[in-house]
C-alpha cells in the first residue's frame, strides 16, 4: 500500500508545480506585453512651445465634447461619459503632457484610459419599533443604486491617437505666423557698363590700388608689372579666359599649394617649352615629401609689393 501511495503523492506534487508554473505565467502575461518599443503611438513632436501645444490639446478635447478637469502650460486632462447600456456606463479619460524639444518644438504625450462602471442595486428594508418587541424589519423598503467600477484599461489603438494628433495640429499656431517674416532681399544693383562708359571718378577708383602699388615698386618690379600688362593686351579672348580660370583656382588653394604653384611658375618662366614639359612630368611623379623638398631647394620669388 505504501508503495502505491508514493507515486500518487509524487503526481500530486508534480501537478501542484505545473499549476503554480502556469499561474505564474498568467500573472506575468500583462507585463510581458509591455515592449517599450520605439513606436510613436502615444507621442508626437509638434511645432511650437509646450504651452501652445497644451492649449491646442485643450481645444481638441473641447471640440469633441470632453469636460476639462485640468489645463495648464504643461498638462491637460479631460473626460467624456458614454452610456453603453441601461446598467453600464463608460468613461474615457485623456491625459496630455507637453515637454520642450529644442527651442521651437514641443513633445506631446497622450494616454487614454477607458473605465467601465456597472449599476449595482442594494435593497434596504424598513425597520419599525414595536413596543417590547423592539425593532422589527419589514419586507418593504427601497433600493440604493450606485455605480461600481468593474474594468479599466489603457487604449492602445494607434488609429485613435492618430486622429487625436491630426485634430491637435489644426489648433496649433501656423509655423509661418510664429516665425518672423524674412526681410526682402535688396534689389540687385544695376549692371555696370564697360570701361569706356565709366565715369572718370569710377576709373580713378579702380586704378587707385594699382597706382599705389606702382608708386611703391622698384625699377625691376615696375618692369614686371608693365610686361604683365603688355602680355595681357596681346592675349586672345581664349587665353584671357584660361588665365582667369587659373587665377580662380589659385584663390581656392591652401597656403602650401599656393607656395608650390608660385615656385613652379618661377622656375618655368626661365625654361624652354621642352624643359617645362619635363618639369611637369617630374612634378606629377613626386611624392608629397619630395614636392616639399623641391620647393625648399627652389623657393618661389619674392611677392611684389
Amino acid at each position: 500500500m505504501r508503495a502505491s501511495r508514493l507515486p500518487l503523492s509524487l503526481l500530486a506534487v508534480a501537478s501542484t508545480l505545473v499549476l503554480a508554473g502556469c499561474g505564474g505565467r498568467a500573472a506575468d502575461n500583462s507585463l510581458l506585453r509591455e515592449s517599450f518599443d520605439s513606436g510613436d503611438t502615444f507621442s508626437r513632436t509638434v511645432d511650437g512651445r509646450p504651452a501652445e501645444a497644451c492649449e491646442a490639446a485643450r481645444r481638441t478635447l473641447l471640440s469633441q465634447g470632453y469636460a476639462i478637469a485640468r489645463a495648464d502650460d504643461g498638462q491637460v486632462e479631460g473626460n467624456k461619459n458614454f452610456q453603453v447600456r441601461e446598467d453600464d456606463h463608460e468613461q474615457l479619460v485623456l491625459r496630455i503632457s507637453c515637454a520642450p524639444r529644442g527651442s521651437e518644438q514641443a513633445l506631446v504625450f497622450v494616454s487614454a484610459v477607458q473605465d467601465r462602471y456597472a449599476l449595482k442595486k442594494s435593497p434596504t428594508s424598513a425597520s419599525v419599533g414595536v413596543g417590547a418587541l423592539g425593532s422589527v424589519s419589514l419586507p418593504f423598503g427601497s433600493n440604493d443604486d450606485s455605480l461600481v467600477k468593474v474594468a479599466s484599461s489603457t487604449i492602445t489603438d494607434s488609429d485613435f491617437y492618430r486622429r487625436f494628433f491630426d485634430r491637435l495640429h489644426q489648433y496649433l499656431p501656423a509655423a509661418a505666423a510664429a516665425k518672423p517674416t524674412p526681410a526682402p532681399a535688396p534689389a540687385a544693383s544695376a549692371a555696370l557698363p564697360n570701361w569706356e562708359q565709366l565715369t572718370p571718378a569710377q576709373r580713378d577708383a579702380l586704378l587707385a590700388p594699382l597706382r599705389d602699388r606702382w608708386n611703391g615698386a622698384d625699377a625691376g618690379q615696375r618692369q614686371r608689372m608693365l610686361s604683365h600688362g603688355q602680355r595681357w593686351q596681346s592675349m586672345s579672348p581664349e587665353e584671357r579666359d584660361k588665365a582667369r580660370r587659373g587665377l580662380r583656382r589659385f584663390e581656392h588653394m591652401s597656403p602650401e599649394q599656393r607656395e608650390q604653384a608660385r615656385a613652379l611658375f618661377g622656375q618655368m618662366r626661365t625654361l624652354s617649352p621642352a624643359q617645362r614639359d619635363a618639369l611637369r612630368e617630374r612634378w606629377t611623379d613626386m611624392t608629397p615629401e619630395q614636392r616639399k623638398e623641391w620647393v625648399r631647394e627652389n623657393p618661389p620669388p619674392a611677392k611684389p609689393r
Side-chain angles (χ1 to χ4, degrees), residues 187-243:
S189 302
L192 292 173
N194 293 333
W195 180 268
E196 291 76 14
Q197 282 76 43
L198 292 176
T199 65
Q202 290 173 327
R203 294 182 186 180
D204 187 66
L206 292 171
L207 292 175
L210 181 60
R211 181 175 59 246
D212 294 341
R213 181 181 171 187
W214 177 271
N215 291 336
D218 56 27
Q221 292 170 340
R222 290 182 179 182
Q223 183 60 47
R224 285 194 295 272
M225 291 173 64
L226 183 60
S227 299
H228 291 163
Q230 292 172 342
R231 184 167 181 270
W232 180 265
Q233 291 293 332
S234 64
M235 285 183 179
S236 65
E238 292 77 11
E239 290 174 331
R240 292 182 181 182
D241 187 60
K242 183 179 179 180

Side-chain angles (χ1 to χ4, degrees), residues 40-300:
D40 59 352
T41 300
F42 302 95
S43 64
R44 294 286 194 283
T45 298
V46 300
D47 293 330
R49 296 184 296 272
E52 296 171 339
C54 270
E55 174 60 20
R58 186 183 73 88
R59 298 187 183 193
T60 299
L61 296 183
L62 288 174
S63 70
Q64 302 302 306
Y66 283 78
I68 303 301
R70 174 181 178 179
D72 54 41
D73 291 347
Q75 291 185 335
V76 178
E77 181 178 332
N79 57 75
K80 187 175 182 180
N81 298 316
F82 302 88
Q83 188 74 33
V84 182
R85 288 182 295 274
E86 182 180 357
D87 294 339
D88 288 338
H89 171 81
E90 290 184 358
Q91 185 178 63
L92 195 58
V93 180
L94 266 72
R95 296 180 178 89
I96 300 102
S97 298
C98 308
R101 185 165 194 173
S103 58
E104 298 182 356
Q105 290 185 316
L107 192 57
V108 180
F109 301 90
V110 59
S111 176
V113 176
Q114 185 178 27
D115 296 329
R116 189 162 66 88
Y117 297 84
L119 186 64
K120 299 296 182 181
K121 297 183 179 181
S122 301
T124 59
S125 58
S127 298
V128 179
V130 183
L133 296 178
S135 179
V136 178
S137 296
L138 301 179
F140 57 87
S142 62
N143 291 327
D144 291 336
D145 297 341
S146 61
L147 289 174
V148 178
K149 183 187 291 188
V150 295
S152 181
S153 63
T154 299
I155 294 178
T156 58
D157 181 37
S158 58
D159 287 339
F160 173 86
Y161 293 101
R162 178 186 55 78
R163 293 192 298 270
F164 168 83
F165 284 113
D166 288 346
R167 188 70 174 178
L168 181 141
H169 276 87
Q170 298 178 11
Y171 291 102
L172 283 171
K179 297 180 180 178
T181 304
S189 302
L192 292 173
N194 293 333
W195 180 268
E196 291 76 14
Q197 282 76 43
L198 292 176
T199 65
Q202 290 173 327
R203 294 182 186 180
D204 187 66
L206 292 171
L207 292 175
L210 181 60
R211 181 175 59 246
D212 294 341
R213 181 181 171 187
W214 177 271
N215 291 336
D218 56 27
Q221 292 170 340
R222 290 182 179 182
Q223 183 60 47
R224 285 194 295 272
M225 291 173 64
L226 183 60
S227 299
H228 291 163
Q230 292 172 342
R231 184 167 181 270
W232 180 265
Q233 291 293 332
S234 64
M235 285 183 179
S236 65
E238 292 77 11
E239 290 174 331
R240 292 182 181 182
D241 187 60
K242 183 179 179 180
R244 292 190 187 98
R245 291 198 301 269
L247 180 60
R248 285 194 292 269
R249 287 196 300 270
F250 184 81
E251 291 174 347
H252 289 85
M253 289 181 180
S254 65
E256 182 180 2
Q257 291 172 330
R258 290 186 181 185
E259 185 180 19
Q260 293 176 354
R262 292 180 59 247
L264 284 171
F265 178 75
Q267 288 293 318
M268 288 185 177
R269 289 171 57 189
T270 62
L271 300 178
S272 64
Q275 291 173 327
R276 292 177 184 177
D277 292 339
L279 179 56
R280 290 192 187 96
E281 185 176 354
R282 180 185 169 195
W283 180 266
T284 304
D285 295 336
M286 288 183 185
T287 64
E289 291 300 326
Q290 290 174 334
R291 291 179 179 180
K292 291 180 181 179
E293 182 64 26
W294 186 91
V295 172
R296 283 193 291 267
E297 295 175 355
N298 303 273

